[in-house]
Each structure stands twice: as structure tokens, then as C-alpha cells.
Amino acid sequence: MAGRPGHGIAIRRRGSSEVTMTATGSLEFPDVPTSFSRPIRRFRQSLDAQRKTRIVALGSSSTAGTNGIIAFPARIEQSLRKANFGCMIDVLNRGVGGQESPDQLSRFECDVIAEQPSLVIWQVGTNAAYRPEVYSPDDVEAALRVGVRWLAALAIDVIVIDLQYTAAIVTVPNRLARAEDIQRRIEKVTSAANVNLFGRWNLMKSWYEAGQIPLSALDDGHGDRLHVSEAATAKISDVLASAILTAPVALA
């Protein structure tokens, strides 16, 4: 999926406010096949049967939004509404900057379960790689395992989003090693739990390694370059929305 020219602008309304979302600028992102092999059945059933369908997006700053960049929850909400005309789809943003899966697990009752979503998109891993003095890979893995088990018991579809591939992580050897370890742990947990993993780490890495996208284009240029850029966020959101829309309703 190639990047679209930067003059493309979309506007969505939430209450009385307007949010402007830009396209991916002049960057041409390599087309990397990304799909889900496991069903997103309850989300589809909700679209077919309910007046309103809710998705909860749980995570840290790349979920909450940072440095003026519109994060993926608002972007995929727009894409899913457009693709399902007539359906009321709300993507509730429950991101809190700086948090990791143990903190997010503590918010499950009020921020996730109480909202009665058909789908939860849970972004984890980056802060554990970035702040090892605060979060251990063992704790992140354990919290993720508990959380997906809770959601499975409640008949809620789950998509886990793993780490972001940006300069603050990949250019610091110790952080890179931790990130790779955490990414493998996330793969292990999601595979064992039979939930879909959106491999943001490998997606962004493949863009860089294809030689078409410089590493500097993947972050927003702030601080030590941890947060994902506007263009990369827009493209990640497009790929995620497409994967949701084309996911199987039932196992083949």
C-alpha cells in the first residue's frame, strides 16, 4: 500500500471539536502483507446485530496520542465507520502515556470491561524496553497473559499490538536487545492464547529494511525519538484497519 500525497485531509467530529488527520505525506511505504489468521467474530456479530459497536483501545502514548499526532484509535474509527456505512462504531481511546501492561491491567475493570466492547486492541511492550528500571519483561508478559485470559472469558475479541520500531529503541543496543526479547514474549503469549497479534515491530522494521523509508521518518523527531511519526502512524492505522476488515469471521 503506497503512501498517499500529503494534501489528503480528513476531518472527524467528536462533540463540538474537530480533529484534522493528515495523510502519509510524500513517503512511499512498501506494501507488506498484513492479515489476521484468527477470527474477529464477536466484533462482526456486533456490527450485524447491535445498534452500537464499541472497541476499546488500551495502551500507552502511541494509543493516547502525543506531540500533536492523532493516534490510531481515531484513525481506525473513521476507517471502520466508512467501510460499514450505517453502523455506529465507537473506538474508545483508553491510552495513558508511559504505562505498560501491568498498569493497564489494573485499569481493566473501569476502562475496558465496564464499556462492554466487542473488541479490545491492546498495545504493549515499548515502555518496558525503553524504561527497564520501571518494568521487567517478566511482569509485562505475566500481565499480558492474565489480561487476554480475562477477555477470553468475557467473549471479547482481542488484538494485541506489539512494540514500535523507532530510533530511541533500535539505536541503543541494550534497548534493542530488550525489545527483541519482549517482542518474542508477546508472540508467545498471543499464540498460546489464540488471539491476533498486530506485528507493528516487524511491520515498521520491514519498511526500514526495504531501504525505502529512513529510520528518521519513523519517529516524530521529538526528544530522543521514541514516538511514531505522523506519516508512520497514519500508515500503521491504515494497515490495522484493513486487517480488521478482512479478518475471518470464523475459523476455516
Side-chain angles (χ1 to χ4, degrees), residues 57-64 94-97 99 104 107 121-124:
L58 185 70
S60 55
S61 57
S62 62
T63 300
R94 296 297 182 260
V96 176
Q99 285 196 345
Q104 294 151 8
R107 298 193 282 117
I121 303 173
W122 191 4
Q123 169 254 312
V124 299

Side-chain angles (χ1 to χ4, degrees), residues 163-231:
L163 299 81
Q164 59 211 45
Y165 192 91
T166 53
I169 302 296
V170 305
T171 62
V172 180
N174 290 341
R175 287 180 186 166
L176 177 58
R178 285 193 298 271
E180 291 172 336
D181 174 45
I182 293 165
Q183 194 269 339
R184 288 190 293 268
R185 290 168 181 256
I186 294 171
E187 284 187 341
K188 179 177 68 175
V189 171
T190 54
S191 177
N194 289 315
V195 301
N196 285 302
L197 172 63
F198 183 73
R200 178 174 57 165
W201 176 264
N202 284 333
L203 178 65
M204 297 179 72
K205 182 180 180 182
S206 68
W207 290 340
Y208 171 63
E209 291 185 342
Q212 295 174 244
I213 305 295
L215 185 62
S216 60
L218 297 180
D219 69 77
D220 64 5
H222 288 264
D224 60 358
R225 300 171 57 188
L226 173 65
H227 297 107
V228 181
S229 68
E230 174 79 15

